[in-house]
Amino acid sequence: MKHFNYREGELFCEGVPARSLAEKYGTPLYVYSRNSFLDAYRDICRAFAKASPLVAFSVKSCSNLAILNILREAGAGFDIVSGGELHRVVKVGADPRKVVFSGVGKSDPEILQALDQDILMFNVESEAELDNLQAMSAGMGTVAPVALRLNPDVDAHTHAKTTTGKKENKFGIDFSVASRIIRNIAEQPNIRLLGLDVHLGSPIYSTLPYRQALAKLTDFIKEHRSPRAHLEYLNIGGGYGLLYRDQAVPSFQEYADAIIPFIGKTGCKLILEPGRSLSGNGAVLLSRVLYTKNNGTRHFTIVDAGMSDLVRPAMYDAYHFCWPTQYARTPPAELFGSPEAKDYLNRETGEDWEAPPSGAVDAEGFRLTDVVGPICESSDCFTRGRRLPVLERGDLISFFSAGAYGFSMSSNYNSRPRPAEVLVNGGESREIRKRETLPELTAGEAWQ
Ligand code: LLP
């Protein structure tokens, strides 16, 4: 996380100390680095430059208007999956011709909204959806631009809950059904078939699934191109990896080197839908330690952020590195990939462990602990058996790589107001979403 650095033992986001942000805006607090988003966007554009792709940022990963606006100004398009996301990108002035709309369950009002905005294309996920789109666009006297999202039945070897490209997943259209759709496309006069689309899962730490899917897609394109089915766009989706712990993450260049040759063979225009790889390193979640306790078998560090603020550990057993924002020694976060980091990570115990006798701290000043939130669920647990410097009430800690699927998956569970979001640019910070208030929590409810 290039823009989140420790200087003399203190965590900075770009030029601003994390501590000062927590004091000014309170905790839990999402802190975003503007330059992290810009760097990542420029990196992916540079790596794929030969193919001049449309880079459609996946809004679901991080949907604050200020973030969308940064990427829009840099030239990005957007991958949306709801009317709400369309509302967001329209609000920041996105060019609708750079917007693609995915999702298996687009409702009629959402389809109308998107037809009305004249978006670049719908990524259609079933024959039934295509029939509905035909009927709706005929009703509006318009023609709907469409890519067929295919299910390539490729295993992306990612978490069971985030894999999308296998037959048993709800996403995409079977190749034989897609063939039938194309054969009969003349019966859908209000559909313009522009291309094919896939999204394989998230995150994918290998280029192999992309190559496997593209081999199938390029064959399909060769067999099915016709005057009524130009298939001029090929959308390979998102899924590019992010370093959370000690994974080997292919660079954008490696993904590009795997993908571009297939695009060359088809002469298609390339669309990418990166989410996590642009937003993941763009934010940390700051949280304060409320209490610590030892129940005889395990040590707990109870912090003021919960699964309502960052659900990934509870939902996917996801690893987020965490570390105090003030700590004299270089944190392993800065050593990722190095032997020291491996050594440190290897000494975490993970799931099943028993704390040494109460209060035990090792010679290096570390203690094994479970960092947990205040929510009344045992799954409200950020780390298990994590080796952390001794933490006490009032200490500030940071959860790293929280920019993707962090705030955007937050909720009001346990009637907790959602945290504030702050954007840092160089030495300046500004609130880009206020902390929710108690009256806002109940604003839409009628109790009498
Ligand atoms: N395109 C489509 C159609 C998608 O469904 C997704 C993510 C993306 C692009 C972006 O994928 P990315 O580049 O971010 O990997 N909540 C989970 C991840 C769910 C991903 C859903 N779809 C998590 O926190 O890991």
Side-chain angles (χ1 to χ4, degrees):
M1 295 189 72
K2 191 169 128 215
H3 294 286
F4 294 86
N5 284 310
Y6 280 82
R7 292 187 208 154
E8 293 172 12
E10 171 150 18
L11 178 65
F12 277 69
C13 173
E14 302 197 13
V16 183
R19 178 179 39 91
S20 71
L21 295 170
E23 279 161 14
K24 186 165 175 191
Y25 301 103
T27 55
L29 181 71
Y30 274 95
V31 177
Y32 295 85
S33 150
R34 177 173 191 272
N35 286 294
S36 175
F37 283 86
L38 285 176
D39 283 359
Y41 176 72
R42 288 176 189 143
D43 282 354
I44 197 169
C45 290
R46 208 172 301 125
F48 282 89
K50 257 195 266 169
S52 318
L54 168 65
V55 178
F57 175 62
S58 195
V59 174
K60 65 176 86 63
S61 76
C62 184
S63 47
N64 185 289
L65 295 179
I67 301 296
L68 301 181
N69 195 41
I70 292 169
L71 292 169
R72 179 196 60 81
E73 279 178 352
F78 297 100
D79 154 47
I80 59 163
V81 289
S82 70
E85 290 189 350
L86 179 56
H87 171 72
R88 286 178 177 277
V89 301
V90 167
K91 189 148 180 156
V92 300
D95 177 354
R97 310 299 302 159
K98 291 184 177 179
V99 174
V100 297
F101 190 175
S102 307
V104 292
K106 302 175 190 80
S107 70
D108 290 6
E110 288 176 322
I111 291 173
L112 280 180
Q113 193 186 345
L115 283 173
D116 210 38
Q117 288 295 334
D118 206 14
I119 63 165
L120 179 62
M121 69 184 80
F122 293 81
N123 293 332
V124 165
E125 306 225 12
S126 64
E127 224 172 355
E129 182 191 338
L130 193 75
D131 291 344
N132 187 35
L133 196 52
Q134 158 61 30
M136 289 185 65
S137 47
M140 282 176 76
T142 187
V143 174
V146 162
L148 297 180
R149 177 167 173 180
L150 298 190
N151 184 321
D153 196 26
V154 162
D155 192 347
H157 297 287
T158 186
H159 192 281
K161 288 187 182 157
T162 56
T163 199
T164 51
K166 293 272 298 156
K167 258 201 177 352
E168 58 267 32
N169 304 131
K170 68 178 175 180
F171 298 98
I173 301 173
D174 185 76
F175 278 60
S176 59
V177 176
S179 289
R180 184 171 70 223
I181 290 175
I182 293 178
R183 269 199 314 277
N184 299 334
I185 197 69
E187 290 162 25
Q188 314 268 31
N190 297 78
I191 298 293
R192 184 179 309 125
L193 198 51
L194 290 181
L196 299 181
D197 167 45
V198 285
H199 171 72
L200 305 172
S202 168
I204 305 171
Y205 290 104
S206 155
T207 60
L208 181 63
Y210 292 94
R211 285 183 276 125
Q212 289 171 327
L214 282 164
K216 294 186 178 184
L217 288 182
T218 43
D219 286 348
F220 186 91
I221 289 175
K222 275 186 222 142
E223 285 161 28
H224 291 83
R225 246 187 194 146
S226 73
R228 275 291 281 134
H230 286 294
L231 306 180
E232 65 199 88
Y233 286 93
L234 213 169
N235 181 341
I236 186 66
Y240 317 104
L242 188 79
L243 183 63
Y244 285 106
R245 190 172 190 268
D246 53 1
Q247 305 91 339
V249 186
S251 63
F252 282 138
Q253 196 58 59
E254 286 169 274
Y255 288 114
D257 291 346
I259 291 170
I260 290 175
F262 289 98
I263 303 302
K265 274 184 219 159
T266 59
C268 285
K269 292 178 200 145
L270 176 63
I271 301 179
L272 305 168
E273 298 175 347
R276 186 191 317 270
S277 52
L278 301 192
S279 56
N281 277 337
V284 297
L285 172 62
L286 299 181
S287 179
R288 275 207 197 277
V289 176
L290 294 172
Y291 309 105
T292 61
K293 69 174 178 183
N294 194 321
N295 73 357
T297 50
R298 288 170 93 104
H299 183 273
F300 295 96
T301 303
I302 302 154
V303 299
D304 66 1
M307 63 191 281
S308 55
D309 308 303
L310 177 64
V311 76
R312 301 192 69 257
M315 195 156 171
Y316 315 111
D317 297 316
Y319 186 101
H320 283 267
F321 182 77
C322 78
W323 201 252
T325 59
Q326 268 154 310
Y327 185 67
R329 274 182 281 167
T330 311
E334 311 233 310
L335 304 172
F336 267 142
S338 71
E340 289 90 335
K342 275 252 176 310
D343 178 54
Y344 167 82
L345 295 168
N346 284 341
R347 288 160 71 183
E348 300 178 345
T349 57
E351 191 60 44
D352 298 314
W353 66 289
E354 244 181 55
S358 181
V361 176
D362 68 23
E364 289 163 273
F366 291 105
R367 180 156 58 191
L368 288 171
T369 189
D370 287 358
V371 179
V372 300
I375 287 181
C376 299
E377 295 238 8
S378 293
S379 57
D380 185 27
C381 180
F382 292 109
T383 79
R384 290 191 166 85
R386 197 75 69 85
R387 216 172 144 247
L388 287 171
V390 171
L391 293 164
E392 276 156 18
R393 177 171 169 81
D395 285 349
L396 190 61
I397 65 165
S398 171
F399 294 99
F400 289 82
S401 311
Y405 309 103
F407 188 92
S408 67
M409 291 183 81
S410 66
S411 75
N412 291 125
Y413 186 40
N414 276 204
S415 286
R416 286 165 51 84
R418 265 179 285 210
E421 296 178 285
V422 166
L423 179 66
V424 172
N425 182 18
E428 319 227 300
S429 70
R430 87 186 157 91
E431 204 169 32
I432 55 172
R433 193 181 206 273
K434 287 191 188 315
R435 185 174 305 285
E436 278 177 358
T437 61
L438 297 180
E440 279 166 354
L441 264 185
T442 48
E445 297 178 28
W447 63 283
Q448 276 177 325

